[in-house]
């Protein structure tokens, strides 16, 4: 496929060579080859061939300042000539492919073979009409011609039911795939990018960006296209996704202006002209080489991948510093953060394997007993010789025994489990969308139900992220509310207005409200919006000042990052000297001030003791009101000699303070209530913020994270590091263990502190349960912590693309209360699975025992193969639908998290399973051995081969199904609640499935006839069957009355299924991430696939290069392909219930965080 699409693209591009005629001064191929250059080479080429960036813009018919006009015809023409910003996804699997996959199930294959043999034999008549006696009892029913003809029905019916099971499974997979594509397109529409069109800055969906657009890039963006930098401030890019180099690359219009799609902006801001989109961008080229389109498989099971163009591009090369040829071990290490399988999946896989083994054993014993009984009875007791002409009849018997054995196995194996998990997760994910949770990794949804700790940001998550300046200190006076501009010294006022207007990102604006009487709209960095609001409150306007000094005229910009915690801008004054404006966290900027403006606006000396006094009298009171304090300052430089701007330490000192502003960010009204719910549900909420400790404490008290009088810790980053590091400066786990249990607020924290805290809590072995940690983040630097956490929440509105990429769930409304909803849904998933398990295991236990004992005592299973398959189909597939779609209730938040080590089957559930099994077995055996007397009908026991169905066995089958139906209602509650009907009508799916199953059962019994081995029943017998089924509900109440404490042995029973829940090495970081059961099954397969894929990829790459594409990121490509191919091979061999297997091998996490201190635009 890769080659085909390659040649296609090239063919297209060849045609496009003629587009100089189409009115643009350069073709796709010219631009493509331009984008392959780097550094000075690129600058020279631009200069010589295009006349610098301005010339390039001219040729692309766009204005570097005003952008494209945005005329639709022009945009369409650009899309036609230069392509759309989309990478075509791989085609989804067709329904037939899914059917074929469903047919691969081993038990189904065994059944098909058995059914075919049975079919073949039923058409075979022994030669010569030997008397029935000759073959002994074996030929019992064969004389009757009509009956012999009906022998094929059983085989055909089994095949038919196999077809049903396969179609249902395939349909489920298909709808799941469809849901994911829906989710995909939803995420794709989410990602927008700032573009200048007709001199207006607008947000455009990434797919609508065309070549020639002027895009505004800022810290935290994931670049959606290739482009050439027109103007940039302090721009640094992380290109590791393309080159594997973890160092950030400095970009500037005169040294290295080339910006590539799929790379991350780590610092600074700027404007670029888009030169290549979609398949022609650097990332697009790599995808084309890899066989176009993101691997859908990997996308489906691994990450719900992010947006189209831009993020279809999000490749998965190894971002480790040592590049991609790291061996397997390395890769495991790199992907450690998403280590274990989701808790539920680990438990389920284990359980399924255990049940499977038990089922296999039971079915083998059943077959052996049947065959032995038959042989001994015929050849030993009756002393009959084996006659050749009777062989087919004997074989027919053996096949029948074999089918019974396989049926026992089919019923024993709960193949509904993976289905129930999938349905439950897919349903929850769909519903969570409505609760503002956009789930990117399926299992995150369920892990969230086990969360024991949430480390939340303050700004925007707990607060509204609408900053307003409410206090200020200027001209030696502390104003508790914003003063009248007349009161402030004119000199100070002018400096202040200029400092704020110029020294803030020009993309930050305050726009008029959307609707009448609303609040003005804040665009861009919210802290800067608060300061611009102050300018407006002082009856001035910032726009004229910005127009007078446009962005191009700014001499030098030191952008905000988490190390500086300040931002400075240098401008050249008309007389040639320089002035630098600075703003930032007050305690940091004040340290650098040597002067301060007095009451008449003149600088006076600002001594250390003045600083201390200022902190006590101004900053602490503001912080205790929960305000964020920002200090604004300036410094003048002589023009001769020009200062060394790169020597930051000497530039950012000796400042003159103008003013300190207190900015309020009110707590969201719904947050205190949400936090209280979390605490009730056994989840500890911790606040991790970059803000000052007093501000943080004030907000934490308002939110209810800390309550006065409790024993808690509120510390800042410095103190935190002092407590957890030893003399050598290394972090020690036992030191962290002394801090985290009481820690509630961590202030002035760096991104590294956040990561250290999360890792420390997760790795802690203090408590008997391993902590499950959720983290929220919005900044680029939160990436490592989001990846390390069990569940990472990124902010949908304020979050940067990098944070979203590292997260598991995106909060589309940035609101903490949505996290509580995620907890509720997560617990609901776990409960839904438990409900289904309780129901499913009851069916399995009963059906297996009935088939086994029935076969041993009466040589024939009372429940026939086809009936078993029907029971299996309804009980597995429909019940999983019915029980997995129960909506969550608030009650879920009133209990503590289950934890990782709690057995999947609680003692209450064990009690229910065993209790109901006892009731059902007593009834069925009573009917089996005494049914003919009770109902006064012919006995169905010991019927010869191919005999017509008996009423006796039909009653047993019908009663069995009725009991399951009513037990399904019992299964809705797993914590021993009395009212099983509570909220049943809130779940229409459940009601319709129960009634639907009942209707189909009537049809099967009355009209199923021979294929289903059913004899129509009279109304009276039907009422008896339903009555016996209703007994289940009464019996359920009886079971609920028995206290668990009386049933000591049950506790062990629940535990026994899962001793060693998470084996020691599973908690270990560098371990293999595949759980035991799978490890046995898949290790060989995976290695084999991996080897093949490696070779294939390398051959493909070599061929591509032979075909003469000039492309420099060869290393990136090879790395990229080997990772992708691994993702594929793992996914190919893993079925839907093993989502996490492919996760484990395909989340290369960036190690850049450790090497370079990342940056943030916000606390």
């Amino acid at each position: 496929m890769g080659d085909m699409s390659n040649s296609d693209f090239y063919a297209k591009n060849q045609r496009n060579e003629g587009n100089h005629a189409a009115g643009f001064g350069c073709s796709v191929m010219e631009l493509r080859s331009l984008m392959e250059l780097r550094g000075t080479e690129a600058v020279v080429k631009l200069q010589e061939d295009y006349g610098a960036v301005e010339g390039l813009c001219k040729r692309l018919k766009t204005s570097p300042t005003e952008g494209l006009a945005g005329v639709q015809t022009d945009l369409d023409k650009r899309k036609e000539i230069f392509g759309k910003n989309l990478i075509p996804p791989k085609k989804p699997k067709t329904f037939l492919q899914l059917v074929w996959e469903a047919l691969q199930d081993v038990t189904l294959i065994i059944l098909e073979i058995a059914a075919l043999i049975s079919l073949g034999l039923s058409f075979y008549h022994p030669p010569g009409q030997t008397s029935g006696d000759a073959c002994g009892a074996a030929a019992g029913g064969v004389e009757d011609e009509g009956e012999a003809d009906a022998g094929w029905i059983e085989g055909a019916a089994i095949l038919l039911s196999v077809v049903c099971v396969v179609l249902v499974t395939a349909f489920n997979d298909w709808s799941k795939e469809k849901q994911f594509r829906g989710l995909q397109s939803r995420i794709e529409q989410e990602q927008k990018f700032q573009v200048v069109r007709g001199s207006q800055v607008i947000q455009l969906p990434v797919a609508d960006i065309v070549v020639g657009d002027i895009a505004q890039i800022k810290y935290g963006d994931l670049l959606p296209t290739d482009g050439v930098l027109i103007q940039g401030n302090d721009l640094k890019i992380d290109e590791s996704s393309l080159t594997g180099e973890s160092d950030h690359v400095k970009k500037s219009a005169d040294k290295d202006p080339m910006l590539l799609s799929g790379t991350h902006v780590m610092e600074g801001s700027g404007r670029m002209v888009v030169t290549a989109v979609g398949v022609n961008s650097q990332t697009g080229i790599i995808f084309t080489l890899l066989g176009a389109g993101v691997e859908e498989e990997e996308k489906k099971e691994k990450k719900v991948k992010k947006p189209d163009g831009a993020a279809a591009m999000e490749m998965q090369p190894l971002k480790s510093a040592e590049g991609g040829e790291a061996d397997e071990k390395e890769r495991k290490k790199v992907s450690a953060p998403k280590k274990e399988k989701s808790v539920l999946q680990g438990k389920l896989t284990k359980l399924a394997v255990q049940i499977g083994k038990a089922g296999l054993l039971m079915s083998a014993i059943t077959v052996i007993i049947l065959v032995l009984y038959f042989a001994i009875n015929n050849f030993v007791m009756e002393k009959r010789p084996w006659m050749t002409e009777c062989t087919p009849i004997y074989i027919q018997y053996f096949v029948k025994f074999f089918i019974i054995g396989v049926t026992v196995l089919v019923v024993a194996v709960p193949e509904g489990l993976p289905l129930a998990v999938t349905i439950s997760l897919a349903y929850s994910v769909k519903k969570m969308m409505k609760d503002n949770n956009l789930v990117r990794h399926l299992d995150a949804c369920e892990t969230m139900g086990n969360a024991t700790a949430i480390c939340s940001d303050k700004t925007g998550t707990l607060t509204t992220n609408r900053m307003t300046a409410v206090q200020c200190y200027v001209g030696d006076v502390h104003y508790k509310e914003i003063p009248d501009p007349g009161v402030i010294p004119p000199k100070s006022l002018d400096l202040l207005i200029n400092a704020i207007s110029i020294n803030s990102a020009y993309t930050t604006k305050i726009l008029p409200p959307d609707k009448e009487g609303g609040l003005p709209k804040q665009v861009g960095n919210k802290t800067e919006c608060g300061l611009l609001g102050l300018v407006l409150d002082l009856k001035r306007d910032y726009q004229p000042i910005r127009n007078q000094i446009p962005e191009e005229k700014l001499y030098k910009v030191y952008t905000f990052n988490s190390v500086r915690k300040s931002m400075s801008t240098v401008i050249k004054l008309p007389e040639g000297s320089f002035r630098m404006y600075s703003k930032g966290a007050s305690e940091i900027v004040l340290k650098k001030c040597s002067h301060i403006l007095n009451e008449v606006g003149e600088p006076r000396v600002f001594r250390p003791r003045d600083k201390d006094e200022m902190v006590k009298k101004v900053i602490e009171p503001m912080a205790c009101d929960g305000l964020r304090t920002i200090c604004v300052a300036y410094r003048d430089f002589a023009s001769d000699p020009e200062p060394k701007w790169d020597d930051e330490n000497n530039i950012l000192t000796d400042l003159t303070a103008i003013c300190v502003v207190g900015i309020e960010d009110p707590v969201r009204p719904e947050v205190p209530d949400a936090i209280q719910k979390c605490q009730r549900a056994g989840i500890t909420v911790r606040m991790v913020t970059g803000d000052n400790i007093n501000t943080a404490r004030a907000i934490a008290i308002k939110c209810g994270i800390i309550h006065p009088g409790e024993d808690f810790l509120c510390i800042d980053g410095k103190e935190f590091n002092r407590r957890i590091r030893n003399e050598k400066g290394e972090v020690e786990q036992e030191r962290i263990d002394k801090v985290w249990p009481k820690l509630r607020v961590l202030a002035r924290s760096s991104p590294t502190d956040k990561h250290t805290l999360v890792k420390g809590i997760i790795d802690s072995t203090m408590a008997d349960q391993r902590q499950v940690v959720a983290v929220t983040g919005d900044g680029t630097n939160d990436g490592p912590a989001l990846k390390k956490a069990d569940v990472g929440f990124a902010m949908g509105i304020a979050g940067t693309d990098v944070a979203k990429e590292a997260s598991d769930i995106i909060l589309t409304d940035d609101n903490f209360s949505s996290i509580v909803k995620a907890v509720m849904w997560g617990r609901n998933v776990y409960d839904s699975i438990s409900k289904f398990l309780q129901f499913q295991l009851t069916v399995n236990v009963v059906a297996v025992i009935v088939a086994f004992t029935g076969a041993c005592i009466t040589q024939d299973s009372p429940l026939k193969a086809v009936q078993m398959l029907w029971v299996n189909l309804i009980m597995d597939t429909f019940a999983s639908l019915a029980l997995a779609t129960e909506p969550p209730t608030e009650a879920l938040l009133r209990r503590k998290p289950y934890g990782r080590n709690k057995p999947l089957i609680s003692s209450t559930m064990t009690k229910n399973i065993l209790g109901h099994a006892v009731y059902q077995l007593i009834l069925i055996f009573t009917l089996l051995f005494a049914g003919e007397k009770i109902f006064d009908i012919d006995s169905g026991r010991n019927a010869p081969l191919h005999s017509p169905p008996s009423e006796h066995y039909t009653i047993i089958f019908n009663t069995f199904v009725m009991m399951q139906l009513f037990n399904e209602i019992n299964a809705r509650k797993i914590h021993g609640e009395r009212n099983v009907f509570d909220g049943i009508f809130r779940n229409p799916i459940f009601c319709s499935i129960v009634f639907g199953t009942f209707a189909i059962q009537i049809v099967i019994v009355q009209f199923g006839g021979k294929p289903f081995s059913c004899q129509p029943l009279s109304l009276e017998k039907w009422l008896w069957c339903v009555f016996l089924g209703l007994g289940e509900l009464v019996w359920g109440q009886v079971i609920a009355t028995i206290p668990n404490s009386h049933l000591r042995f049950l506790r062990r029973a629940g535990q026994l299924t899962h001793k060693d829940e998470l084996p020691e090495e599973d908690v270990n970081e560098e371990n293999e991430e595949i759980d035991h059961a799978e490890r046995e099954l898949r290790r060989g397969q995976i290695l084999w696939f991996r080897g093949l894929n490696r070779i294939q990829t390398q051959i493909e790459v070599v061929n591509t290069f032979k075909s003469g594409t000039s492309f420099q990121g060869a290393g990136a490509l090879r790395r990229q392909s080997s990772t992708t191919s691994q993702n594929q091979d793992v996914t190919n061999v893993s079925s839907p219930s093993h989502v996490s297997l492919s996760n484990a091998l395909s989340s290369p996490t960036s190690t850049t965080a450790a090497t370079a201190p990342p940056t943030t635009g916000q606390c």
Side-chain angles (χ1 to χ4, degrees), residues 686 713 715 719-726 730-743 746 752-766 771:
R686 295 182 173 83
L713 265 184
I715 54 177
E719 173 65 10
F720 175 67
N721 278 305
R722 193 185 63 70
R723 291 190 182 198
I724 63 168
R725 291 176 191 277
N726 59 19
E730 293 157 352
V731 178
E732 286 186 359
Q733 185 62 43
E734 53 269 28
R735 288 177 183 236
I736 296 187
D737 286 345
K738 289 186 186 130
V739 177
W740 74 259
K742 288 184 182 171
L743 182 70
L746 180 57
T752 337
D753 295 342
K754 191 173 188 175
H755 181 258
T756 312
L757 175 66
V758 172
K759 184 173 184 310
I761 298 179
I762 289 180
D763 294 346
S764 171
T765 48
M766 276 177 61
Q771 295 277 311

Side-chain angles (χ1 to χ4, degrees), residues 939-953:
S939 165
R941 293 197 300 280
N942 297 328
L945 200 62
H946 303 317
S947 53
S950 65
E951 248 188 311
H952 182 187
Y953 275 17

